[in-house]
RNA sequence: GCGGGUGUAGCUCAGUUGGUUAGAGCGCCAGAUUGUGAUUCUGGAUGUCGCCGGUUCAAAUCCGGUCAUUCGCCCCA
């Protein structure tokens, strides 16, 4: 291995992987576009406060995973660990509440200081969609329907399962938290170390614990669904009804909670079993208090983020690049003629490259490797007669064609 | 942050109880064919055996550390 390695948890993306990832983004932009979403590109770093406040001081992301630094001007900055907070900040900064509801799509890199694993990197890439200013469950349905459409278009309809839950509104969640902590405190000594810590910081997370002992205790724990007030219940019922009508299959997963503090009501994750420990491929939910918390006008929001690497690994749908036409000028005069012809062919939308070095054998060899469909050979003979040799590489046939007729003679089968 | 696996050519991997000049396939380069590829034939180069140190007459091989990667925990997309 070379000494020039990329930093831990980062990597170079090229070839099929790059194509697959681009395809995920393209599909996302197209699908989100059909739901009326418009692009928003926020900065890759923000004042640390933007992430610290909404995510919660106790969250793993803030407490140990952010890339935070002081710049030369002494500002406390953080590389974005996720999209939602930055999008909400942009919403406030630009006065977007003037025009609700606001449908915003973003994509790009995000950064978390985590232990790298397959499908988990320190620099990773997300697609992100947020719908702001619509507090009714219909918005949640739209968002999930959009995610489902995207996943199906990526060919993942069979590989992914929607886990759906509700966290209830604030009143329900507070009541439930109280009941849960009271129950769990009875078993405090038997809980895993992690869960004992969570009892203080984020008790809902204990429901999600993979520790066998915890699982047993959790089995008889009070259920969130028994503590939902009528508003929360109706909200959730409407979401489920909507999903049924749109045709999105789901399972109600009572143990599904979210890592970020700002979520309420709907929480969901599309999960796969094909990526080892990194099962979640796309996840999100509702976050009605977030914008207000950031200092903006009270505005509700629903959103989700998808992991581009994870989606790309599952989907493997990147299109092969267009087959090029390769021009091979065999002398100085022909070299300049080749520019002319190349531009002419590009005007017709063809992919054209020129190979100006090496003998013909080498050039043919390279053309073959580039999966070229045609080679255009221009030498002194041809130049004199105003023609080029057009060779179809799939079957080896070739013929002399007048310069003006080349574009018409190139037919892909 | 914790625990396990792995690290040999550009890629995928062999390499015996430590033993002399470290191998294969693919790919790459050259020639057979000076203006014609993908097939075939012939020839060639693959290299700090991840890195640093230790044990030993002798280390790709054993030991320690370190870096990277991978799997699990944790967390999440």
């Amino acid at each position: 291995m070379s000494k020039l390695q990329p930093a831990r948890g980062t990597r170079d993306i090229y070839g099929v992987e790059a194509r697959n990832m681009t395809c995920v983004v393209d599909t996302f932009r197209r699908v989100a576009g059909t739901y009326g979403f418009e692009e928003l590109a926020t900065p890759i770093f923000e004042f640390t406060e933007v992430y610290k406040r909404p995510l919660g001081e106790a969250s793993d992301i803030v407490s140990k995973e952010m890339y935070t630094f002081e710049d030369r001007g002494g500002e406390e900055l953080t590389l974005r660990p996720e999209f939602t907070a930055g999008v909400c900040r942009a919403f406030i900064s630009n006065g977007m509440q003037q025009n609700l509801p606001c449908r915003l799509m973003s994509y790009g890199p995000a950064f978390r200081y985590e232990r790298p694993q397959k499908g988990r990197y320190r620099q990773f890439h997300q697609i992100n969609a947020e719908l702001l200013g619509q507090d009714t469950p219909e918005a949640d349905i739209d968002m999930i329907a959009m995610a489902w459409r995207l996943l199906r278009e990526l060919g993942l309809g069979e590989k992914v399962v929607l886990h759906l839950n509700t966290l209830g509104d604030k009143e329900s969640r507070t009541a439930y938290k109280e009941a849960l902590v009271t129950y769990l405190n009875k078993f405090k000594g038997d809980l895993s170390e992690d869960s004992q810590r969570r009892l203080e910081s984020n008790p809902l997370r204990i429901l999600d614990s993979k520790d066998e002992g915890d699982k047993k205790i959790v089995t008889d724990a009070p259920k969130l669904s028994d503590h939902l007030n009528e508003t929360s219940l109706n909200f959730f019922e409407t979401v489920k009804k909507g999903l049924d009508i749109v045709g999105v299959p789901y399972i109600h997963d009572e143990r599904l909670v979210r890592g970020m503090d700002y979520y309420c009501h709907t929480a969901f994750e599309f999960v796969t079993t094909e990526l080892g420990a990194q099962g979640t491929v796309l996840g999100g939910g509702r976050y009605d208090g977030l914008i207000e918390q950031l200092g903006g006008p009270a505005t509700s929001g629903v959103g989700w983020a998808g992991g581009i690497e994870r989606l790309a690994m599952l989907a493997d749908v990147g299109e092969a690049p267009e087959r090029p036409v390769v021009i091979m000028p065999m002398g100085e005069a022909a070299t300049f003629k080749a520019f002319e012809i190349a531009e002419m062919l590009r005007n017709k939308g063809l992919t054209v490259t020129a190979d100006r070095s090496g003998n013909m054998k080498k050039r043919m060899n390279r053309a073959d490797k580039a999966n070229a469909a045609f080679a255009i050979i221009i030498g002194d003979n041809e130049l004199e007669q105003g023609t080029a040799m057009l060779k179809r590489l799939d079957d080896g046939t070739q013929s002399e064609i007048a310069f003006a007729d080349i574009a018409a003679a190139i037919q892909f089968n």
Side-chain angles (χ1 to χ4, degrees):
Chain A
M1 194 176 290
S2 161
K3 286 172 195 164
L4 290 172
Q5 296 173 335
R8 180 165 214 208
T10 68
R11 63 222 175 87
D12 306 307
I13 300 160
Y14 60 95
V16 277
E17 207 179 356
R19 285 202 291 275
N20 283 339
M21 287 176 64
T22 300
C23 177
V24 169
V25 174
D26 288 350
T27 308
F28 166 66
R29 292 175 61 185
R30 181 166 45 74
V31 170
T34 68
Y35 283 77
F37 282 69
E38 296 202 42
E39 294 207 19
L40 165 69
T42 64
I44 232 167
F45 56 84
E46 299 267 0
F47 291 120
T48 299
E49 269 307 295
V50 172
Y51 297 114
K52 208 176 202 173
R53 219 185 309 170
L55 290 170
E57 199 85 45
S59 72
D60 277 37
I61 291 182
V62 171
S63 61
K64 50 192 187 195
E65 294 181 356
M66 293 203 309
Y67 279 93
T68 295
F69 60 98
E70 192 178 297
D71 75 2
R72 289 165 193 273
E75 302 285 8
E76 273 290 315
L77 302 173
T78 293
L79 260 33
R80 74 175 163 217
E82 57 110 34
F83 279 68
T84 304
V87 169
C88 289
R89 194 235 80 222
F91 172 87
I92 298 166
S93 304
N94 296 285
M96 295 185 188
Q97 71 272 12
Q98 300 294 327
N99 191 13
L100 297 178
C102 207
R103 300 183 177 87
L104 301 168
M105 61 163 138
S106 312
Y107 54 89
F111 306 84
R112 288 182 205 170
Y113 187 86
E114 291 189 280
R115 179 119 180 209
Q117 245 175 72
K118 183 182 185 136
R120 191 171 93 181
Y121 309 99
R122 288 182 175 183
Q123 175 177 342
F124 59 104
H125 300 78
Q126 290 190 330
I127 48 178
N128 186 269
E130 312 286 354
L131 200 176
L132 301 169
Q134 194 177 333
D135 59 6
T136 55
E138 287 75 20
D140 306 46
I141 298 165
D142 271 341
M143 291 304 287
I144 296 175
M146 180 167 97
W148 178 239
R149 179 177 289 273
L150 168 69
L151 292 165
R152 270 182 312 162
E153 294 220 3
L154 290 171
L156 302 182
E158 304 292 315
K159 292 186 176 180
V160 132
V161 179
L162 171 60
H163 290 235
L164 180 72
N165 195 18
T166 178
L167 306 174
D169 60 12
K170 198 168 185 184
E171 181 187 295
S172 303
R173 209 165 53 256
T174 307
Y176 175 63
K177 243 186 211 172
E178 217 165 276
L180 182 66
V181 170
T182 305
Y183 168 84
L184 289 173
N185 262 320
K186 287 189 281 187
F187 304 93
K188 191 169 181 184
D190 302 327
L191 285 170
S192 68
E193 218 174 287
D194 282 333
S195 290
Q196 292 192 25
R197 183 172 42 79
R198 291 190 198 118
L199 207 47
E200 304 288 328
S201 60
N202 193 353
L204 292 187
R205 278 247 89 100
I206 298 176
L207 300 175
D208 213 13
S209 175
K210 272 136 197 155
D211 181 88
E212 286 304 320
D214 289 355
K215 276 187 186 169
K216 255 180 222 157
I217 295 169
V218 164
T219 312
D220 296 321
K223 292 192 167 181
L224 176 57
S225 48
D226 296 332
H227 289 74
L228 295 175
N229 58 23
E230 208 182 328
T231 313
S232 301
L233 278 173
N234 287 339
F235 196 103
F236 193 44
E237 283 309 313
T238 306
V239 171
K240 289 194 286 188
K241 187 176 169 195
L243 294 181
D244 290 339
I245 288 170
V246 179
V248 187
Y250 61 86
I251 57 176
H252 181 189
D253 179 356
E254 291 226 36
R255 293 193 337 243
L256 175 65
V257 287
R258 303 257 79 208
M260 281 69 128
D261 278 0
Y262 48 69
Y263 283 103
C264 61
H265 287 296
T266 314
F268 63 92
E269 289 183 3
F270 285 90
V271 175
T272 178
T273 53
E274 293 183 26
L275 291 177
Q278 279 60 245
T280 303
V281 121
L282 186 154
R286 175 166 282 277
Y287 48 90
D288 286 346
L290 176 55
I291 289 176
E292 200 172 2
Q293 190 186 12
L294 275 169
T299 310
S300 58
V302 219
W304 51 253
I308 297 177
E309 284 88 349
R310 294 180 186 179
L311 290 167
M313 273 189 279
L314 279 185
D316 195 26
V317 284
E319 288 161 34
E322 292 287 317
R323 296 184 69 185
V325 173
V326 179
I327 302 192
M328 302 177 185
M330 299 313 286
E332 200 180 326
T335 297
F336 288 104
K337 191 70 195 172
F339 284 113
E340 234 175 79
I341 293 173
E343 291 302 330
M344 180 184 83
L345 296 178
R346 289 182 187 119
N347 286 342
K348 306 281 179 194
L350 293 168
T351 299
V352 185
T353 62
D355 190 345
R356 307 185 180 90
S357 67
N359 58 29
M360 169 118 351
K361 181 186 165 122
K362 246 185 193 160
R363 300 191 204 193
M364 280 300 190
N365 207 318
R366 281 193 289 254
D368 190 57
K369 259 175 230 152
N371 191 31
F374 291 91
I376 296 175
I377 301 153
I378 312 169
D380 293 339
N381 303 341
E382 284 86 356
L383 211 52
E384 256 173 48
Q385 296 165 35
T387 64
M389 189 64 84
L390 177 68
K391 174 161 178 156
R392 174 184 289 272
L393 291 169
D394 285 341
D395 56 18
T397 57
Q398 61 182 31
S399 52
E400 268 192 75
I401 311 267
F403 289 147
D405 300 332
I406 295 176
I410 292 178
Q411 298 291 335
F412 292 81
N413 294 335

